[in-house]
Amino acid sequence: MAENRLTHPCEAIVMGGSTGSIEVLLSVLPQLPDPLSFALIIVLHRKNTADSTLANLLSLKTTIPLREVDDKDVVRPGTIYLAPADYHLLIEQDRTFSLDDSEKVNFSRPSIDVTFESAADVYGSSLVGILLSGANADGSAGLRAIKKAGGLLVVQQPETAQVGFMPQQAILNTAVDYILTVPQLIDFIKSLNLTH
Amino acid sequence: MITEEDVDLLLNDLLELYGYDFTHYSRASLKRRINRLLALDKFPSFAELRYQIRSDAHYLKRFVEELTVNVTEMFRDPLFYKSLRTTVLPTLTSKPFIRIWHAGCSTGEEVFSMAILLKEVNLLQKTLLYATDLNPEVLETARKGIFALGPMKQYSENYILSGGTADFSTYYTAQYGHVKFRNDLAEKMVFSTHNLVSDRSFNEFDLILCRNVLIYFDKDLQQRVLSLFDESLGPLGYLALGAKETLNFSSLKPMFRQLEGEKIWRKIG
């Protein structure tokens, strides 16, 4: 797997989570190197409110530019993107985001599966998918798509997650590459960064 | 999973055989919906789906219906409706006649929301609400004004957050798991098919609402549709978009002024 990474540098990380994953992000984000050599795209299950409190909260934790995605934003390395509430987040072949307000998937909009599958289609083996704490099975199908496209899969160690169900489902249903604690996850993401 | 080439083939078929032009729709979303339909209708292969679309006009109807997204709700983004109520509609009161266009109205929940607003500020009787969609099936639902009972609790909460003070349930009667909205709300509605990709402007409006439609288009098509709206707006008319949509990247930007904190633009040029 390590060789895999060297021959295919990471172009983007997609990270998904539900219950208990905001706490993980609050630990991870302050530790990430700035500049990042890849785009970090975050999909969190959240309440259906149109405000951007969460983006504001997360951006306080990092010097890396962090924004909630608007339709047709360009995906740039060195930026952290947050899927907006109540929209699915997809990525186009030309590395722009598009939004979609179609039916909920896994009772969720945004759905982690939707973003992961779309990112797998675009980034192939230069994609890393990370699945965090959560109480439903969203993300497993997305991780399978990333694997099929040659990307790397990482899940939070279920025992260390506030709710272990989501990473557990992924481990049961997919050949994940790494099962990591939060400190290990931080080191792993740092190791993907080409500028450090 | 289908390939980019498969999507190209299908889009060509739809254009050449039926005149539906989806070539400037957002690709990722289209591809996902085609994959979804492959699974829903249990096609063994892409080739069989393509054959069905090419040879069966009845299936084509279903395909277009499923390809286009028809998810909507009443008083979606309540603060948006609050702005309509408190900022936009009061500027229209002196007009002898008001024309509003809901472009891409889907099953009509937002059209009924608007009719309720207009009723409450005493403007409904002098307003015409044009509601259009490219899909005749969803317009049929909208015309009937019959919606599922399930989401009414959510809609009632949205209504209250939007500044509504009446008892929301007075606007409909519930029966057998569905609700029917009052006939006096629908009296001023005109439903018609209109394809934003291929059809022209058909009137001059004081307010155009097109919410969460542009996100399905690529930038070129967004620009074309925004120009169509510009042509269709009277002086000082309003354009209202979805929560994540903007005309900031469009050449029209200098001719419009955005209302503070809202996805509502007023035509000033």
Side-chain angles (χ1 to χ4, degrees), chain A:
Chain A
M1 283 306 143
E3 305 86 272
N4 212 350
R5 261 191 288 145
L6 291 176
T7 48
H8 298 282
C10 170
E11 196 179 342
I13 295 180
V14 283
M15 190 188 277
S18 189
T19 315
S21 58
I22 290 177
E23 290 80 351
V24 177
L25 284 171
L26 294 178
S27 312
V28 171
L29 293 186
Q31 305 294 323
L32 296 186
D34 183 8
L36 278 183
S37 60
F38 44 80
L40 174 57
I41 300 160
I42 300 171
V43 183
L44 291 183
H45 293 165
R46 48 202 286 210
K47 275 209 303 197
N48 173 10
T49 49
D51 65 47
S52 20
T53 325
L54 182 59
N56 294 337
L57 171 73
L58 294 179
S59 61
L60 290 175
K61 293 290 169 184
T62 175
T63 55
I64 303 167
L66 185 152
R67 54 180 295 151
E68 192 171 271
V69 175
D70 275 321
D71 183 47
K72 303 294 179 283
D73 274 350
V74 178
V75 189
R76 298 183 199 284
T79 308
I80 302 173
Y81 298 95
L82 180 67
D86 207 27
Y87 291 88
H88 295 307
L89 179 65
L90 299 114
I91 298 150
E92 303 287 342
Q93 294 294 337
D94 67 359
R95 272 67 168 165
T96 57
F97 286 109
S98 54
L99 299 176
D100 177 320
D101 72 342
S102 63
E103 304 82 354
K104 291 182 177 181
V105 175
N106 303 311
F107 310 100
S108 310
R109 188 174 56 219
S111 149
I112 299 166
D113 277 345
V114 168
T115 302
F116 280 20
E117 285 168 359
S118 161
D121 218 17
V122 172
Y123 294 109
S125 60
S126 60
L127 181 68
V128 176
I130 302 177
L131 195 62
L132 305 175
S133 173
N136 83 12
D138 197 20
S140 285
L143 285 180
R144 275 200 299 280
I146 294 172
K147 187 82 186 175
K148 208 172 158 197
L152 268 186
L153 310 189
V154 180
V155 300
Q156 185 180 1
Q157 192 182 74
E159 299 76 22
T160 66
Q162 189 182 318
V163 184
F165 187 81
M166 199 151 87
Q168 190 68 58
Q169 284 302 301
I171 292 164
L172 288 173
N173 291 305
T174 327
V176 302
D177 298 295
Y178 298 94
I179 300 169
L180 304 177
T181 65
V182 172
Q184 288 169 334
L185 180 64
I186 292 165
D187 287 341
F188 175 82
I189 298 175
K190 282 181 179 168
S191 77
L192 295 173
N193 208 41
L194 293 180
T195 55
H196 286 256

Side-chain angles (χ1 to χ4, degrees), chain B residues 100-164:
Chain B
I100 297 176
W101 178 17
H102 287 261
C105 71
S106 188
T107 42
E109 280 83 341
E110 297 213 61
V111 190
F112 278 88
S113 308
M114 178 62 83
I116 289 170
L117 281 191
L118 291 164
K119 184 101 192 159
E120 294 186 351
V121 296
N122 285 319
L123 291 177
L124 186 58
Q125 69 285 356
K126 64 169 175 179
T127 302
L128 265 185
L129 291 154
Y130 292 80
T132 66
D133 201 279
L134 85 128
N135 183 342
E137 304 288 317
V138 294
L139 286 175
E140 204 41 53
T141 304
R143 191 175 279 124
K144 288 182 185 138
I146 298 177
F147 304 112
L149 176 62
M152 283 303 144
K153 187 173 169 289
Q154 172 71 47
Y155 294 173
S156 173
E157 285 166 15
N158 286 357
Y159 165 76
I160 292 163
L161 286 172
S162 81

Side-chain angles (χ1 to χ4, degrees), chain B residues 6 9-10 12-13 38 43 45-55:
Chain B
D6 294 338
L9 285 173
L10 266 192
N12 272 330
D13 288 351
L38 267 174
F43 284 100
S45 69
F46 168 75
E48 310 221 16
L49 168 69
R50 188 178 176 212
Y51 177 78
Q52 186 90 8
I53 290 166
R54 291 179 62 95
S55 59

